[in-house]
Amino acid sequence: MNRRLYQGHFAKKRFGQNFLTDKFVINQIISSIHPSPKQILIEIGPGLGALTLPIAAQMDKILVIELDRHLADRLNQHPQLKDNLILYQQDVMTVNFSKLSATFKKPLRIFGNLPYNISTPLLFHLFKYIHCIDDMHFMLQREVVNRLLAAPNTKAYGRLSIMAQYHCKVIPILAVPPNAFTPIPKVYSTMIRLLPHRSFSHPYPVTDIERLNLVTRQAFNQRRKTLHNSLCALFADQELAKIGIYPKLRAENVSVEQYCLLANRLH
Ligand code: SAM
């Protein structure tokens, strides 16, 4: 049997196609999303509908974004989806989620078993629209989840950790083994929930998010350099010291809160 052929579809590696087949895992994901009929749920990469079909059955409508034309056609023709599916056959990286939220006049709940090859840039893309997102539930490669959750002074800690923890509370939900998918991937996966911090209860408010992007990019561009070297164009050593950052430290030794303080001090 060809291990890439599943339900009459030949899984495409370039689109990160590993379809969820484990019923227990599927049920766990659906109960942790806990959909309610009037909400606006958007699935990224519905594929053959492992999550789409059971969730659509509980919804007035479901929005899905699928790049693969063949899969999009299958979903459009699916008899169980014909009444409530709104399908965007496009690259999720080109989707303007603010516009979608404005169109449906509601905040968005986004979920998906993500194509692992684009998961990091996709998370950064979604952070741009965090103001119109209620929550996100994603299946991701375990290493990416480790980076999302990482604390300072660890190897996994980087820009992704800082920007994710700045924007959201990151909650791991379920560890998923490779054999829950077809074809079986080489990596382990973890399902997570991302809960955006609201402006009134933000743990470390930043006046301009672009400044936080700039400071973290500058610090992590050359991760092994001391902050004295990597941030010298932005801050004098005395300014770093004022918020408890010793200039001989490196990017990975600075907490999310300290990066936010730095961003707010940038002129
Ligand atoms: N949700 C299905 C499941 O769990 O069985 C499929 C998940 S599979 C890991 C990833 C899905 O994302 C595939 O259907 C793939 O075609 C789709 N995809 C890949 N790149 C995409 C992109 N840039 N934009 C939208 N969908 C994409």
Side-chain angles (χ1 to χ4, degrees):
M1 196 182 87
N2 189 326
R3 271 182 269 167
R4 299 200 72 80
L5 190 65
Y6 178 61
Q7 292 187 9
H9 174 81
F10 194 78
K12 300 183 184 89
K13 231 182 186 162
R14 70 180 186 284
F15 290 158
Q17 291 178 354
N18 296 96
F19 301 105
L20 260 173
T21 46
D22 186 306
K23 286 270 174 300
F24 170 80
V25 173
I26 292 171
N27 289 338
Q28 288 288 109
I29 294 173
I30 293 165
S31 64
S32 59
I33 296 176
H34 194 60
S36 155
K38 301 273 173 237
Q39 295 171 336
I40 299 300
L41 259 72
I42 305 189
E43 182 177 8
I44 298 173
L48 291 159
L51 300 171
T52 328
L53 287 160
I55 290 189
Q58 304 182 38
M59 304 298 294
D60 290 351
K61 57 177 166 296
I62 181 166
L63 281 56
V64 301
I65 302 162
E66 176 56 66
L67 179 59
D68 185 326
R69 190 184 300 269
H70 175 241
L71 291 175
D73 288 346
R74 273 180 72 138
L75 290 162
N76 261 332
Q77 287 157 21
H78 200 291
Q80 283 171 41
L81 293 172
K82 67 177 187 324
D83 293 330
N84 54 2
L85 184 77
I86 300 176
L87 187 141
Y88 301 89
Q89 197 258 305
Q90 75 183 86
D91 181 353
V92 62
M93 296 298 292
T94 65
V95 172
N96 180 331
F97 288 92
S98 298
K99 275 196 182 158
L100 281 181
S101 174
T103 304
F104 293 96
K105 300 187 176 65
K106 279 191 185 163
L108 310 174
R109 301 194 67 205
I110 306 179
F111 71 98
N113 168 21
L114 295 185
Y116 292 173
N117 48 342
I118 60 158
S119 55
T120 300
L122 174 55
L123 288 165
F124 279 106
H125 181 67
L126 289 162
F127 295 153
K128 289 192 276 185
Y129 301 102
I130 206 79
H131 56 279
C132 61
I133 298 175
D134 253 356
D135 62 15
M136 300 183 268
H137 289 83
F138 293 135
M139 180 80 76
L140 288 161
Q141 191 175 332
R142 185 170 64 186
E143 282 66 29
V144 175
V145 172
N146 290 343
R147 285 165 57 204
L148 289 171
L149 289 164
N153 307 314
T154 62
K155 243 183 151 179
Y157 184 71
R159 267 201 85 221
L160 182 63
S161 332
I162 294 160
M163 299 316 290
Q165 293 168 31
Y166 167 73
H167 286 297
C168 304
K169 188 168 180 196
V170 185
I171 306 163
I173 305 250
L174 184 70
V176 182
N179 63 9
F181 306 86
T182 298
I184 297 176
K186 290 199 177 74
V187 294
Y188 281 75
S189 304
T190 305
M191 161 90 192
I192 54 155
R193 176 181 296 137
L194 295 169
L195 284 180
H197 298 305
R198 290 295 154 226
S199 48
F200 56 86
S201 61
H202 205 292
Y204 343 94
V206 160
T207 45
D208 178 354
I209 189 67
E210 278 317 311
R211 293 181 185 184
L212 183 60
N213 274 321
L214 175 70
V215 174
T216 53
R217 214 175 280 128
Q218 195 86 4
F220 281 94
N221 256 351
Q222 290 151 311
R223 201 184 163 99
R224 297 313 306 153
K225 275 196 173 178
T226 63
L227 294 168
H228 164 79
N229 283 320
S230 59
L231 294 183
C232 63
L234 303 177
F235 300 101
D237 284 357
Q238 296 92 308
E239 285 178 281
L240 296 177
K242 267 189 205 153
I243 49 175
I245 302 175
Y246 179 55
K248 289 248 163 75
L249 294 178
R250 296 175 208 280
E252 69 201 46
N253 308 123
V254 176
S255 68
V256 179
E257 184 175 9
Q258 285 174 316
Y259 275 114
C260 293
L261 290 172
L262 281 178
N264 285 336
R265 279 175 170 259
L266 197 64
H267 298 294

